[in-house]
Amino acid sequence: MEDRCCIILAAGDGKRMNSANPKVLMPVLFEPMLGWVLDSVKEAGISDENVGVITGSSADKVAEYLKKRGKYHTFLQAERKGTGHAVMQAESMLVEDISKDVLILCGDAPFMDAATINAAYKLHKEQNSDVTVITANVAPAGNYGRIKRDRNTNLLSSIVEMKDCSPDELKITEVNSGAYWFKAERLLWALPQLRDNNKSGEFYLTDTVKLLGKNTSTYMADDSIIVLGANDRKQLRELNDMMTELINSRHYAAGVDIIGHNVIIGKDVKIARDTLLMPNTIIRGKTEIGSGCVIGPNTQIDNCEIGENVTLNCVQAFDAKICDNVKAGPFVHIRAGTTLNKNVKIGDFVEVKNSEIGEGTALAHLTYIGDSDVGKNVNFGCGTVTANYDGIEKYRTKIGDNAFIGCNTNLIAPVEVGENAATAAGSTITNNVPPAALAIERGQVNIKENWYKNELRIKKDKKSK
Ligand code: UD1
Ligand code: CA
């Protein structure tokens, strides 16, 4: 049995966000703030089953999100009576094993990281403390609870909420991050003793510190960024900007270049070194990019696996696999279920959906390929379209190696073009084309010599001039 568990406070409503969604589901770099916290907890080595989330505002939405993420427990706090009251809702989880250590986090502080959590835990165990408060240095300290220390011993004596501070206490710059390690047994002892006789009329979790007396300690985070949360959209934007900088910095350290502005990278994206990201590029989801690529400008990539030395200029790619040395762009849409094998070349205004494109194949211009299996070194002329949908069902198109598809060919699926075969420009191919054949499927020319309307037209033109 694990000896650590975690309670995440996520009942607040965040009225100032002016959203239909609760605050903890507001996104930072496309992921709800609560998701960042859950990831840090997981990374710190605490498994889902040992995490309880306190819900309140839009509890059903939070529960639905948690269900998608893992086997988390939820505890409903029907009335918001403060952080101490919130923790009390998870009492049943605490009494299960009172010898555990319990981590308490705020669901709206997305910068809290696994390294800080575990460093604080290490100190908590070494000092054998009843509670270890994770603190940070923030000047000016704003609305945060102030860390008060004993004048003689300099040990933590209490946490004073901003509203309850004296003018002198307001000047303190060491603040409470809202994250703590507690011995479950001691937390259970202190919680029922909390009172709501303060300026907010709430049961403050922070008052447990005073109750626990001497056996308390603090862990000061290396970076005060861990305390940050957002109360309104402007602050949420600031968090997004800071997180962008933080993530981009990690990529610089990993040997990735970013030039210009507006390069936004999601938290789970992996990029190998010597890849260059150009302006106005968004990379998100579980995307992995190999080395030596040039991605952007004006590119969006979601959930893609991208090989080495790939060039994507002005490309939108979703749930696709793009292999080494592929060049695509500008104005290219790669849709779900597509694999572009090595050395594929894609030019302007091309869309590929749910298709396998073989090595070295070229789709140079104005082409739609959907639900197709295309071989190696196929050449698509300008304006090729696979007609994959008859309005009822979708069908596949198969094209063999070294085929040559003439300009403006329509391929009416289901249909096959054999290896080394060709289609004549402007053909609408409705029958399978055998290997090495040429298929011409278009209207025959019908010449009417000296057509009378031509004469009428030319006369009219001359008159009007
Ligand atoms: C709290 C701390 C403060 C600390 C700050 C860090 C207390 C009394 N104060 O203040 O010392 O500096 O966090 O951000 O704990 N929540 C519930 N149920 C409630 C009340 C709050 O689940 O009844 C949740 C909120 O959704 C939020 C977290 O607890 O995720 C913190 O609550 P919030 O109201 O933001 O506390 P602060 O006043 O910021
Ligand atoms: Ca807060």
Side-chain angles (χ1 to χ4, degrees):
M1 208 174 181
E2 253 180 279
D3 51 5
R4 303 189 299 173
C5 66
C6 174
I7 296 171
I8 300 175
L9 308 185
D13 44 24
K15 279 198 190 73
R16 282 194 278 156
M17 286 291 177
N18 191 9
S19 171
N21 293 312
K23 181 162 146 188
V24 291
L25 295 188
M26 302 302 289
V28 169
L29 294 187
F30 323 110
E31 175 152 343
M33 291 197 269
L34 179 58
W36 288 86
V37 178
L38 295 172
D39 281 349
S40 294
V41 171
K42 180 166 269 177
E43 202 188 320
I46 302 171
S47 57
D48 309 2
E49 305 94 79
N50 290 305
V51 177
V53 180
I54 312 296
T55 64
S57 173
S58 304
D60 43 347
K61 284 186 180 166
V62 179
E64 198 182 307
Y65 173 71
L66 289 168
K67 227 184 204 167
K68 277 191 280 174
R69 298 265 331 211
K71 292 190 195 127
Y72 297 100
H73 301 275
T74 55
F75 300 93
L76 183 68
Q77 185 191 20
E79 274 181 287
R80 249 82 68 224
K81 295 188 188 169
T83 48
H85 180 257
V87 173
M88 263 185 246
Q89 311 311 306
E91 194 186 353
S92 61
M93 193 169 116
L94 296 173
V95 295
E96 246 173 47
D97 180 2
I98 58 167
S99 69
K100 280 193 182 192
D101 289 294
V102 50
L103 168 68
I104 295 182
L105 298 175
C106 294
D108 57 358
F111 288 95
M112 178 54 74
D113 61 309
T116 305
I117 289 169
N118 279 337
Y121 178 65
K122 189 163 169 268
L123 184 84
H124 181 66
K125 295 308 269 183
E126 279 165 10
Q127 311 255 315
N128 193 22
S129 302
D130 289 349
V131 57
T132 301
V133 181
I134 300 179
T135 71
N137 214 331
V138 179
N143 293 335
Y144 295 107
R146 309 305 203 256
I147 299 296
K148 271 202 92 174
R149 294 181 178 280
D150 184 281
R151 240 181 236 139
N152 304 316
T153 62
N154 204 33
L155 294 173
L156 172 66
S157 60
S158 65
I159 299 174
V160 189
E161 289 310 298
M162 189 273 279
K163 281 186 188 165
D164 304 300
C165 276
S166 68
D168 268 352
E169 288 167 339
L170 279 177
K171 289 181 200 148
I172 297 172
T173 58
E174 189 183 5
V175 304
N176 171 23
S177 70
Y180 325 76
W181 278 104
F182 279 94
K183 281 182 185 165
E185 185 187 359
R186 301 301 291 149
L187 178 61
L188 280 166
W189 171 84
L191 284 175
Q193 301 181 55
L194 294 179
R195 295 291 169 263
D196 60 358
N197 54 353
N198 48 53
K199 285 269 162 64
S200 310
E202 289 186 353
F203 296 93
Y204 289 162
L205 179 62
T206 44
D207 285 347
T208 55
V209 167
K210 201 171 191 173
L211 287 163
L212 291 168
K214 292 195 302 285
N215 229 353
T216 62
S217 53
T218 56
Y219 173 82
M220 165 98 67
D222 292 339
D223 192 336
S224 62
I225 204 167
I226 55 117
V227 304
L228 292 180
N231 293 316
D232 56 31
R233 302 279 182 162
K234 186 163 183 284
Q235 289 175 357
L236 191 63
R237 198 213 144 112
E238 284 161 10
L239 289 197
N240 271 282
D241 288 348
M242 292 174 86
M243 196 64 95
T244 299
E245 261 315 300
L246 185 75
I247 288 196
N248 289 4
S249 300
R250 284 185 201 148
H251 289 291
Y252 302 139
V256 174
D257 284 316
I258 299 176
I259 58 168
H261 296 284
N262 299 331
V263 173
I264 299 168
I265 308 171
K267 77 180 303 230
D268 297 324
V269 172
K270 296 196 177 92
I271 307 175
R273 65 181 181 176
D274 297 321
T275 278
L276 169 65
L277 309 179
M278 307 264 265
N280 302 325
T281 290
I282 299 174
I283 306 171
R284 52 189 288 192
K286 303 242 179 283
T287 295
E288 285 192 32
I289 301 178
S291 67
C293 297
V294 179
I295 309 292
N298 306 317
T299 292
Q300 183 167 343
I301 298 169
D302 194 352
N303 270 326
C304 289
E305 191 185 327
I306 297 177
E308 295 181 357
N309 303 313
V310 169
T311 304
L312 302 179
N313 167 22
C314 220
V315 170
Q316 307 270 309
F318 307 92
D319 302 294
K321 185 174 174 194
I322 300 174
C323 301
D324 298 353
N325 307 314
V326 167
K327 281 198 169 56
F331 314 115
V332 167
H333 191 183
I334 312 291
R335 292 171 55 198
T338 293
T339 298
L340 305 178
N341 286 292
K342 285 183 191 169
N343 302 313
V344 163
K345 278 203 184 65
I346 300 188
D348 52 295
F349 306 106
V350 171
E351 175 174 336
V352 186
K353 186 210 87 174
N354 190 27
S355 295
E356 171 105 20
I357 309 293
E359 256 182 73
T361 285
L363 300 109
H365 354 250
L366 303 165
T367 289
Y368 170 65
I369 301 298
D371 303 310
S372 300
D373 303 296
V374 178
K376 293 179 194 166
N377 301 314
V378 172
N379 187 78
F380 285 88
C382 179
T384 300
V385 170
T386 54
N388 57 328
Y389 185 46
D390 62 2
I392 302 158
E393 286 196 57
K394 302 228 163 110
Y395 302 94
R396 292 195 80 81
T397 298
K398 281 193 183 153
I399 301 174
D401 295 349
N402 305 308
F404 183 95
I405 310 297
C407 287
N408 269 323
T409 295
N410 295 316
L411 295 154
I412 313 297
V415 73
E416 285 186 42
V417 177
E419 278 182 24
N420 306 316
T423 69
S427 290
T428 292
I429 304 294
T430 55
N431 292 304
N432 291 346
V433 181
L438 166 68
I440 311 167
E441 200 173 338
R442 60 189 178 201
Q444 294 299 306
V445 67
N446 185 355
I447 306 272
K448 299 197 191 292
E449 299 282 356
N450 299 318
W451 192 40
Y452 76 102
K453 274 198 178 172
N454 283 339
E455 255 176 74
L456 294 180
R457 177 171 51 79
I458 292 160
K459 267 187 200 159
K460 191 181 154 206
D461 259 21
K462 276 185 182 159
K463 252 192 213 165
S464 65
K465 266 176 196 162

